[in-house]
Amino acid sequence: RLFHRGSDYSHPRNLYSHARNPYSHPPGIFIHIAPESVSTCPGIRNKRGSRQFVRPDFVMRVAAVFDIHANLPALEAVLQDLRQEEVDHLVVGGDVLPGPMPLETIECLLHLDTPVHFVQGNGDREVLSQMEGRETDWYRASPEQWREPVRWTAQQLYPEHQRLLAGWNKTLVVAIHELGDVLFCHSTPRNDTEIFTRLTSEERLLP
C-alpha cells in the first residue's frame, strides 16, 4: 500500500509513480523491496549496496510525505497516523525546508524508528544553495517575501545539515513486490518545479 500525505501552499505537487518501467530511470537511489529474505530475525533489515531486501513475511507498506516545510506539529500529526497504519518505509518526497522549525523537523525525521528515504525538493535545493553561498536564478528573480524564509532557514542550520541536504537525490525508485517499480520525485523527474495535473499526458511526463 502507498500512503501519500502532504501539501504545498504555493504550487500543486504530485506523486509521480510508474508501476511499469519502459525507460531507464533517471539518476537517483534504487531500493528493492522484495520477498527474498537476507535476514534471520523478524524486523531486521539488511542492506546490500543500494538494494534493500526484507523478510518475506513482511507486508510492505510505504508512506510518501511531501512538502513538510518544517511544520513540525503537522508532521507529528501525520506520523501519528502512519504509526497506526504500521508503515514499514517512509519516503520524504522533497521540501522538508524551508519553514518555521527546520532543526526540530530534521531531527524528528532522522530519529524515526521507520526507515526513511529522502528526495530533494526545490525548497531543499534553494536552502542548500544559500548555505553554499550561491544565489540561484529563482532566488534572484523572486520577491523578498519569498526569499526571506529561504535565507532565514539556511541561517538556522549547521554544516552537518548542509552535507545532509547535499546527499539527497532528485529521484528514488522503490521496487515493491506485486506492484513493480515506483518512481518518487518532487514534481517530475526532470524538473522539481514543473507543474502537472491528472490531465497531463503520460508522454509529457516521461524523462
Side-chain angles (χ1 to χ4, degrees):
R1 295 178 61 184
L2 288 174
F3 301 91
H4 175 215
R5 293 288 297 272
S7 61
D8 189 315
Y9 302 105
S10 56
H11 299 287
R13 293 286 180 246
N14 293 275
L15 170 65
Y16 180 97
S17 62
H18 197 54
R20 292 170 291 109
N21 181 20
Y23 55 90
S24 297
H25 292 306
I29 297 177
F30 184 86
I31 299 172
H32 186 59
I33 301 176
E36 295 88 347
S37 173
V38 296
S39 60
T40 57
C41 301
I44 298 296
R45 297 171 173 84
N46 294 337
K47 291 185 179 180
R48 293 180 177 174
S50 61
R51 292 175 179 263
Q52 182 164 328
F53 298 86
V54 299
R55 286 181 54 84
D57 51 298
F58 264 67
V59 177
M60 296 308 304
R61 294 186 170 201
V62 180
V65 181
F66 289 65
D67 296 280
I68 298 170
H69 286 291
N71 185 340
L72 182 62
L75 172 62
E76 290 176 334
V78 171
L79 291 176
Q80 182 61 36
D81 287 348
L82 298 184
R83 291 186 187 98
Q84 295 175 2
E85 294 286 352
E86 299 181 349
V87 166
D88 297 301
H89 285 259
L90 175 62
V91 174
V92 178
D95 279 10
V96 173
L97 307 170
M101 303 178 70
L103 291 172
E104 298 87 344
T105 300
I106 292 175
E107 287 302 303
C108 175
L109 291 170
L110 292 180
H111 291 90
L112 295 176
D113 294 333
T114 303
V116 181
H117 313 285
F118 293 88
V119 172
Q120 188 183 82
N122 61 300
D124 311 311
R125 174 172 52 79
E126 290 295 334
V127 171
L128 176 61
S129 296
Q130 282 292 299
M131 298 184 74
E132 294 174 340
R134 298 184 293 108
E135 289 189 356
T136 65
D137 292 340
W138 175 90
Y139 187 88
R140 287 190 290 268
S142 297
E144 176 60 20
Q145 63 264 32
W146 292 6
R147 293 188 292 178
E148 195 278 332
V150 173
R151 186 170 59 247
W152 179 87
T153 299
Q155 293 169 350
Q156 309 310 306
L157 302 179
Y158 296 95
E160 56 265 32
H161 299 119
Q162 180 176 334
R163 293 189 293 270
L164 177 71
L165 295 177
W168 294 352
N169 285 263
K170 301 292 186 182
T171 64
L172 171 73
V173 179
V174 181
I176 303 177
H177 182 52
E178 296 185 351
L179 180 60
D181 292 351
V182 179
L183 173 63
F184 295 86
C185 60
H186 197 76
S187 193
T188 71
R190 62 174 172 263
N191 188 320
D192 61 14
T193 61
E194 188 173 16
I195 297 175
F196 68 95
T197 71
R198 66 182 62 187
L199 300 179
T200 304
S201 67
E202 183 172 323
E203 288 72 20
R204 180 182 169 190
L205 295 176
L206 291 176

